[in-house]
Amino acid sequence: MPGRSDSIPPFSFTLEGTEGSARAGTFLTPHGAVPTPAFMPVGTQGTVKTLTPDEVAALGGSMVLANTYHLFLRPGHDAVRELGGLHAFMRWDGPILTDSGGFQVFSLARINRVRDEGVEFQSHIDGSRHLFTPERVMEIQRALGADVVMAFDECPPGGADRDTVTRANHRTLLWLERCRDRFRALAEGSPGPDQALFPVLQGNVFDDLRLQQARDVLGMGEWVGLAIGGLSVGESKEDMWRTLEVMDGALPPGSPRYLMGVGYPADLLRAVARGCDLFDCVAPTRNARHGTVWIRDEGQVNLKHARFKLDTRALDPECDCYTCRRFDRAYLRHLSVAGEWLGHRLLTIHNLRFLVSMAGEARARILDGSFEGWTREWLERYEGSGAQDPVPGAA
Ligand SMILES: [Zn+2]
């Protein structure tokens, strides 16, 4: 490939410390390093909603996620390529991951027909008809130019029966082979960004199907990183934790593991304890727009509650974010109740900082060997108020 030196691989993952199954590492990409565990802020439309890229960087975000489905529909991947790719378009110099669009096609678009060839869908914006195939999704993600691109997969809904999950696993594997072939051909056939393709491991909460899918995918060859999909889609917490333990035993230690769609604070911590490295979720940004925030000693609270009307304390006295240093709860509550944009911005800053700094502290604790005790204490304080993260998929 032009411009690429064989001696310096554009991607690497270094495991720097472990405690139990928890891992601290560094994922190196062409646009910089991602210290793990890491929460990736979600920039659905090429923007982490309401924040500038400088604000995302200032709160410690190292890698952001953008959505292929949304950017394909608007402004279009060809436009993004013409404008220099996502990094230039968004003015974000750090690492970017794009999803495959599969999740949105299955959940947002007016479906559609799912065939082995691909998925036919109608845009949720204007009803226009499109076909996503594994090959097409690789072409779109190449045009967008993210560092990490995701394979096109079929994610059955939570509660799907064994036959449905078996069929989806089979299709996901066939699609992965087609993704890989097209991805390689594109990388070899044209100049462009260095990218890594992550496969998505499906299997819902069936342990044997999870293990079989892991064996099949790992049997296809080496992967820079692996994604665990099909969780946080409505299954019980118990099923989610058991599935992650099964995956922890089945995946190679030398690759970063991206747990898709998980990002409520206590969930993230419990998943770190089970060997996951990278996370994303719309919860911090979406919750902020509804006045819902996370507080170290109080868990998840809704600021619109009347009890905050005259509360002059910092939102979270232990948080070092701009919002918590500058404003009190009474004012932030007022902004939320009034639906003011500044409120959305300030609460987004706090919620993202809460997760990013929590992942950063988990990393430090893993490295100094105090992760287990710290996690127990963290969860007791956060959940002690009776606050519990919602059931996956319910938010
Ligand atoms: Zn804060």
Side-chain angles (χ1 to χ4, degrees), residues 137-285:
V137 164
M138 291 299 101
E139 290 156 13
I140 296 167
Q141 290 189 89
R142 178 127 188 111
L144 295 173
D147 301 275
V148 173
V149 306
M150 301 302 301
F152 192 57
D153 62 320
E154 181 176 356
C155 176
D161 62 39
R162 191 184 166 83
D163 284 349
T164 305
V165 175
T166 303
R167 278 196 302 275
N169 270 12
H170 183 64
R171 184 173 272 153
T172 292
L173 204 62
L174 291 175
W175 283 359
L176 179 59
E177 286 172 0
R178 289 166 55 189
C179 282
R180 180 197 55 187
D181 292 348
R182 190 72 190 127
F183 176 82
R184 282 183 182 162
L186 287 167
E188 284 159 13
S190 63
D194 278 323
Q195 295 183 304
L197 170 65
F198 280 24
V200 182
L201 300 161
Q202 291 289 350
N204 203 275
V205 295
F206 299 96
D207 295 356
D208 58 326
L209 298 183
R210 282 279 173 191
L211 289 169
Q212 183 62 48
Q213 173 108 125
R215 275 195 296 274
D216 289 341
V217 169
L218 294 172
M220 285 173 64
E222 295 239 337
W223 302 99
V224 169
L226 299 154
I228 301 170
L231 289 175
S232 206
V233 292
E235 76 284 355
S236 73
K237 297 270 173 154
E238 205 173 82
D239 279 338
M240 178 154 89
W241 306 140
R242 193 197 64 255
T243 302
L244 289 182
E245 285 157 17
V246 167
M247 298 309 287
D248 182 38
L251 301 182
S255 308
R257 303 161 180 179
Y258 162 32
L259 178 57
M260 305 176 82
V262 170
Y264 279 84
D267 285 348
L268 194 151
L269 213 46
R270 290 189 167 102
V272 168
R274 289 164 175 82
C276 298
D277 307 304
L278 296 167
F279 305 87
D280 81 288
C281 188
V282 294
T285 39

Side-chain angles (χ1 to χ4, degrees), residues 315-316 319-324 349-350 353:
L315 179 56
D316 184 337
C319 179
D320 61 0
C321 83
Y322 172 72
T323 304
C324 291
I349 288 173
H350 168 73
R353 177 62 191 159

Side-chain angles (χ1 to χ4, degrees), residues 6 20 55 58 62 65 101 112 117 120 133 155-156 159-160 206 253 259 268 270 320 340-341 366 389:
D6 285 340
E55 287 168 328
S62 52
L65 189 145
N112 65 46
E117 167 66 12
E120 275 177 28
T133 64
C155 176
F206 299 96
L259 178 57
L268 194 151
R270 290 189 167 102
D320 61 0
E340 282 292 334
W341 291 349
I366 294 164
D389 288 344

